[in-house]
Amino acid sequence: MPTLSRFLLILLLALGSAPLQAQNTTSPGKAHTPTPSTAQMLDQLGSQLDAVKANLNSKNGNVSLPDLRNTATDIQTRASQLAASLEPEMKALQAQLNVLGPPPAKGAPPEAPEVSAQRRKLNKRSADLDAQIKQAQLLSQDALQFSTQVIGLRNDQFQARLASRTATPLSSTFWTDTLHALPDDLARLKRLGDPLMDAWSEAWQPANRQPLLWCLMVAVLLLVAGRWLLEHGMLKMAIRHMPDGHLRRSAMASVVALTAVLTTGLAAQLVYIGLNWHGVLDADLDALAASIVRRVYFAAFVAGLVRALLSVQRPSWRLPALSDIAARQLRWFPWLLGATTLLLGLIERVGRTIGASLPVTVTIRGLIALVISGVIGIALLRLRRARYAMAASGVEPARRALWIGLLTAGATLGVIASWLSVAIGYIAFGYFVAVQMLWVSVIIATLYLLIQLLHDLIDTLLSPQGRSGKRLQDAFDLAPSTLDQAAIVLTGISRIGLILLAMAMVLAPSGAGPKDLIASATRTFSSLKLGQLPIDPGSIFTGLLVFAIGWIALRTLKRWLREQLLPKTSMERGMQDSLVTLLGYLGGMLVFVLTLAALHVDLKSIAWIVSALSVGIGFGLQAIVQNFISGLILLAERPVKVGDWISLAGVEGDIRRINVRATEIQLWDRSTMIVPNSQLITQNVRNVTLGRAQGRVHFKLPMPLDTDAGRAREIILEVLQAHEATLDSTPPFVLMDSVEASCMTFSAYAYTNSPREANTVKSDLLFALLERLRAEKIRLIRPQDMRVQTLPADAEVRHEAG
């Protein structure tokens, strides 16, 4: 481990000091170059754009359209940045002019000479700055139009190359032309090799040898042991810190792919740095070396990606539904595909560098088409053989998904089309099909890995049973179902975004780079408008970020008020809930306004929305708006509040929640009735518990006329006064309600602290009173019964005779 640490330290020092060494070597003794002025920068950009246009209009066949496109894009970016950098100064000048105010009107007293001179100076500077901003904007627009023109020319050339036909490789003419042009191309290759050998000899000089050796040693160490150490180190970290589940599997697959890129690509970068430590490579060799390093990175990514998906050594960590037999059949495929990609890419790049002749270029591209399609075809045959082997062993192969079957069929057709195209002379088309198969395969494999990784990551972070999910539930008072829904939505959004990005990369013109993709996406989105509102991806992202932050902050504030601050005050529980709800409405409106501001939406842009809403309110939304305003009135005036016992149009129960549109009332049978807020404002409402109301207990007792009324009254009062829930401040009393022919009736009254206790206390009092009256042998009146009897006929005759 100390040796590894020493090599890593040397690596960091080498990477950090390379630009400094190159700068010290290329410009010894030179003074610091002064920063050019804005006018000079504009002139330089204009000259560069004119030179690019001249190169395009020239008849030189060696002009590279992608290079012209990249140069024009760089000019456009720099011009846009220059215009943007001048805007703050322009605003500052305008602010200074606003401070000075308008010039004196005609006939008014003149202003001070110092103020007049300052005004002239600011106006001149403002005019010059405005002209520079407009010139930069025109340069940016001109460069953008030129880039679009180059893209069109590239597409035309691409279509022409696809339709072109050469002699078939099965004929002698094809090979005769190649053999005739081969000596000249070998001479060009030798002319490229001579400066390369000279650069190597210069790098091997004593002054340059030590950095070169250190870089080579670290590169070899990375290739030999770097990948193994990184993979095992990340594996231990994943086992120790990552929960057991799908996330660990997809994360390790990503680590395997990235490890191959880092170790192999960084080794190639070190070789390049060591060779060009003191700038020994000329411009052409430096561009060639940088291109080779980029191809090494890509080839390493291809090999690492396929190796991560196959996971031959750890079948339980394999992401795709691939059998062990199929994975073992393809165990050498990652290295074969990576080496093929690197070798063929180097051959093509060297051919472009030396300016290879057309017959040799066609031969190279035909060879590349055959090799790439052949490697893909071999992989398809091995997969088919693995399925046959599983079926022969009695194991039924797993059913493949529809999209996998379509990709397999498309790859098979692509291999056949590429070989047939090369065989009949359409080598450009065959080369395009083979390269596109490789490119699409890499994009689909990367897309699959990223989708699995994001799905597992979101599922782990938002799982209600996970540690992070429980923290989110506790921090923001979220329900488990809310986390599940958020996980599904975020997974769907991320999947759609990745698929759209993959489609853009697949459908991009041949040879398009990242700058082309970004520029194309920017042009596409900048041309989209919703009414007068431009759709800007940056503004949309900012708006979503503002909305998310505002929503989280609002929920956090509401929870802090509800659980920490308001319980410490003397407010009632209903008042606390009403205050938190009202704050939620106001905060939601504020978050909405801030989101619109982040989206750069002004009143003019949403005027048609407001007009449509006003028409809708006038026709169909009156009741909704009325209920909403009524809800705000209920929260502000609080004629009823959460927890009150109310009676409304035959509905009686407790208020559980006052929402935007309606109020929830829980009835005595535990059911909930939804009442529009406007009814609580416009109708008569009986609030039983308003103003700390007391509960009243009232019942009547009928007794026979021969009952001792005084004694009965004393017994009833004793029972009423003995109950612990009856109030002494408002003592109970007993009245003689009525005296009739058959009974006398007593009315008993008592009061409790709350109306909610009245029914329970009444029940307790009746039980106690009945028991006491029974003990005192005092009877209650019994309802009289009427009996109707029908006599038999013979009994009726005897009765009459008697």
Side-chain angles (χ1 to χ4, degrees):
M1 294 302 295
T3 305
L4 176 61
S5 302
R6 186 181 305 168
F7 279 121
L8 292 177
L9 179 60
I10 294 170
L11 170 63
L12 294 176
L13 292 175
L15 292 176
S17 59
L20 182 60
Q21 292 285 346
Q23 180 181 2
N24 294 336
T25 303
T26 55
S27 58
K30 289 186 178 180
H32 177 68
T33 303
T35 304
S37 62
T38 302
Q40 293 174 345
M41 294 174 65
L42 289 173
D43 293 339
Q44 292 176 2
L45 292 176
S47 301
Q48 293 176 6
L49 186 59
D50 293 338
V52 171
K53 291 180 178 180
N55 288 333
L56 180 64
N57 296 328
S58 65
K59 302 301 182 181
N60 186 6
N62 295 327
V63 174
S64 174
L65 292 182
D67 294 340
L68 296 181
R69 169 75 175 85
N70 292 335
T71 304
T73 303
D74 182 65
I75 295 174
Q76 186 232 341
T77 302
R78 291 166 59 189
S80 300
Q81 292 176 350
L82 182 59
S85 65
L86 296 177
E87 289 291 342
E89 185 178 355
M90 187 68 181
K91 292 180 180 180
L93 289 175
Q94 190 62 40
Q96 295 179 17
L97 287 173
N98 293 336
V99 171
L100 294 179
K106 189 174 183 180
E111 58 186 359
E114 295 81 3
V115 176
S116 178
Q118 182 69 14
R119 186 188 304 279
R120 287 194 301 271
K121 181 180 179 181
L122 291 177
N123 285 330
K124 183 178 183 304
R125 177 55 183 161
S126 177
D128 295 341
L129 199 59
D130 183 66
Q132 291 175 351
I133 292 175
K134 291 181 179 179
Q135 184 180 357
Q137 293 174 347
L138 288 175
L139 274 174
S140 176
Q141 188 66 27
D142 195 7
L144 179 61
Q145 293 177 356
F146 179 78
S147 300
T148 305
Q149 179 184 358
V150 172
I151 292 176
L153 292 176
R154 288 173 59 187
N155 292 335
D156 295 341
Q157 290 184 2
F158 176 70
Q159 297 294 334
R161 286 200 305 269
L162 289 182
S164 63
R165 184 181 182 184
T166 61
T168 172
L170 303 178
S171 65
S172 58
T173 304
F174 179 84
W175 297 105
T176 301
D177 295 340
T178 302
L179 292 175
H180 285 168
L182 187 58
D184 295 336
D185 291 331
L186 291 177
R188 295 189 186 96
L189 183 61
K190 185 177 183 302
R191 287 196 295 270
L192 176 65
D194 291 339
L196 181 60
M197 295 303 299
D198 294 339
W200 174 261
S201 299
E202 185 176 353
W204 194 249
Q205 296 299 318
N208 303 328
R209 186 180 304 171
Q210 185 175 0
L212 177 60
L213 288 176
W214 278 114
C215 289
L216 291 176
M217 289 173 59
V218 177
V220 172
L221 179 63
L222 286 174
L223 292 176
V224 173
R227 181 176 60 84
W228 186 88
L229 290 174
L230 283 177
E231 287 185 4
H232 282 71
M234 295 301 297
L235 175 60
K236 292 181 180 179
M237 291 180 59
I239 294 175
R240 182 179 305 173
H241 301 288
M242 195 172 293
D244 189 12
H246 294 288
L247 178 59
R248 184 186 297 180
R249 183 183 62 174
S250 55
M252 283 309 302
S254 304
V255 167
V256 169
L258 293 178
T259 299
V261 177
L262 290 177
T263 55
T264 309
L266 193 55
Q269 186 76 29
L270 283 171
V271 174
Y272 165 68
I273 291 175
L275 187 61
N276 196 34
W277 186 265
H278 289 294
V280 299
L281 298 178
D282 57 19
D284 294 336
L285 288 179
D286 186 71
L288 177 61
S291 176
I292 292 174
V293 170
R294 290 193 296 268
R295 280 166 169 75
V296 171
Y297 272 108
F298 179 73
F301 176 72
V302 171
L305 178 63
V306 179
R307 179 172 172 267
L309 294 179
L310 292 179
S311 188
V312 179
Q313 298 180 354
R314 295 184 178 88
S316 60
W317 288 20
R318 188 177 301 133
L319 293 178
L322 195 65
S323 64
D324 294 343
I325 298 177
R328 287 194 296 270
Q329 287 284 340
L330 299 177
R331 62 183 179 275
W332 297 108
F333 184 70
W335 311 113
L336 177 62
L337 186 61
T340 301
T341 303
L342 177 60
L343 180 61
L344 297 180
L346 291 179
I347 294 175
E348 183 189 15
R349 185 64 178 87
V350 171
R352 288 171 52 191
T353 302
I354 65 176
S357 60
L358 181 61
V360 173
T361 302
V362 171
T363 303
I364 291 174
R365 296 201 167 187
L367 178 63
I368 292 174
L370 294 177
V371 172
I372 293 178
S373 57
V375 170
I376 297 176
I378 291 173
L380 294 175
L381 290 176
R382 284 182 171 270
L383 287 175
R384 188 174 182 182
R385 186 186 305 171
R387 293 181 66 88
Y388 286 157
M390 292 180 62
S393 62
V395 179
E396 183 179 359
R399 294 178 59 88
R400 294 185 300 187
L402 177 61
W403 65 275
I404 295 180
L406 294 176
L407 289 177
T408 304
T412 304
L413 293 177
V415 171
I416 296 174
S418 181
W419 278 69
L420 286 179
S421 300
V422 173
I424 62 178
Y426 287 98
I427 295 179
F429 181 76
Y431 171 80
F432 168 75
V433 172
V435 172
Q436 284 299 108
M437 279 196 302
L438 176 62
W439 178 240
V440 171
S441 300
V442 173
I443 291 176
I444 292 177
T446 307
L447 174 66
Y448 178 79
L449 179 59
L450 290 178
I451 286 178
Q452 293 293 328
L453 178 63
L454 285 179
H455 177 270
D456 296 339
L457 179 62
I458 294 173
D459 187 64
T460 301
L461 293 178
L462 298 183
S463 175
Q465 293 77 29
R467 181 170 55 185
S468 58
K470 292 180 179 178
R471 289 181 178 177
L472 289 175
Q473 294 180 64
D474 296 337
F476 301 108
D477 193 18
L478 300 176
S481 59
T482 304
L483 288 181
D484 291 334
Q485 295 168 7
I488 294 174
V489 172
L490 289 178
T491 302
I493 293 175
S494 61
R495 184 170 298 183
I496 291 174
L498 290 175
I499 291 175
L500 292 177
L501 179 61
M503 291 177 61
M505 298 181 70
V506 170
L507 300 177
S510 178
K515 293 182 178 180
D516 299 326
L517 294 175
I518 295 175
S520 177
T522 303
R523 288 194 303 271
T524 301
F525 281 103
S526 61
S527 61
L528 298 178
K529 289 186 176 181
L530 181 61
Q532 298 297 325
L533 178 63
I535 300 178
D536 183 19
S539 299
I540 294 176
F541 176 77
T542 304
L544 292 176
L545 185 62
V546 170
F547 178 78
I549 294 176
W551 179 77
I552 293 174
L554 180 60
R555 287 187 66 92
T556 304
L557 179 60
K558 289 173 61 179
R559 183 176 181 183
W560 176 75
L561 288 174
R562 183 172 55 249
E563 297 182 0
Q564 297 186 24
L565 178 62
L566 295 181
K568 305 297 183 182
T569 63
S570 59
M571 294 183 185
E572 299 177 356
R573 180 64 182 177
M575 180 61 180
Q576 296 177 16
D577 293 338
S578 301
L579 183 61
V580 172
T581 304
L582 183 60
L583 177 64
Y585 295 158
L586 297 177
M589 296 175 60
L590 179 61
V591 170
F592 179 72
V593 171
L594 292 178
T595 303
L596 292 181
L599 293 173
H600 303 291
V601 178
D602 54 4
L603 294 179
K604 294 181 180 179
S605 300
I606 60 173
W608 62 276
I609 301 178
V610 176
S611 302
L613 287 177
S614 62
V615 174
I617 291 172
F619 286 97
L621 302 180
Q622 287 183 353
I624 296 177
V625 175
Q626 182 182 11
N627 290 323
F628 176 76
I629 300 300
S630 299
L632 295 180
I633 294 175
L634 291 176
L635 293 174
E637 294 186 357
R638 301 178 66 245
V640 294
K641 59 183 181 297
V642 175
D644 282 356
W645 176 6
I646 67 170
S647 177
L648 171 67
V651 178
E652 188 169 348
D654 295 330
I655 295 179
R656 291 305 180 199
R657 185 177 180 84
I658 301 177
N659 296 315
V660 176
R661 188 192 65 83
T663 297
E664 300 176 6
I665 300 177
Q666 184 176 353
L667 306 182
W668 305 126
D669 59 356
R670 297 297 178 181
S671 63
T672 301
M673 176 168 287
I674 309 299
V675 178
N677 290 331
S678 58
Q679 294 187 15
L680 298 175
I681 298 297
T682 59
Q683 297 185 12
N684 297 326
V685 180
R686 176 172 173 260
N687 193 336
V688 181
T689 56
L690 181 63
R692 300 182 180 272
Q694 295 177 348
R696 190 185 72 164
V697 178
H698 173 226
F699 55 86
K700 294 181 178 182
L701 292 174
M703 293 184 182
L705 291 175
D706 58 352
T707 303
D708 185 354
R711 180 59 181 161
R713 181 176 178 274
E714 292 176 1
I715 293 174
I716 297 174
L717 281 175
E718 290 176 1
V719 172
L720 293 178
Q721 293 171 354
H723 197 283
E724 60 182 5
T726 58
L727 298 178
D728 295 333
S729 58
T730 308
F733 58 93
V734 178
L735 300 176
M736 179 70 72
D737 188 69
S738 65
V739 177
E740 299 177 359
S742 59
C743 68
M744 65 179 70
T745 304
F746 293 92
S747 291
Y749 297 88
Y751 293 90
T752 62
N753 285 320
S754 173
R756 301 183 188 279
E757 300 177 355
N759 290 331
T760 303
V761 173
K762 179 179 179 180
S763 176
D764 295 340
L765 291 175
L766 288 175
F767 276 111
L769 188 57
L770 289 175
E771 184 178 356
R772 180 70 180 277
L773 292 175
R774 189 175 292 111
E776 296 288 339
K777 297 181 180 181
I778 298 177
R779 296 182 300 108
L780 295 177
I781 190 67
R782 178 180 297 176
Q784 296 182 357
D785 297 334
M786 180 181 293
R787 179 177 296 178
V788 179
Q789 184 177 5
T790 304
L791 299 176
D794 54 350
E796 184 178 356
V797 172
R798 287 195 303 271
H799 178 70
E800 292 179 356

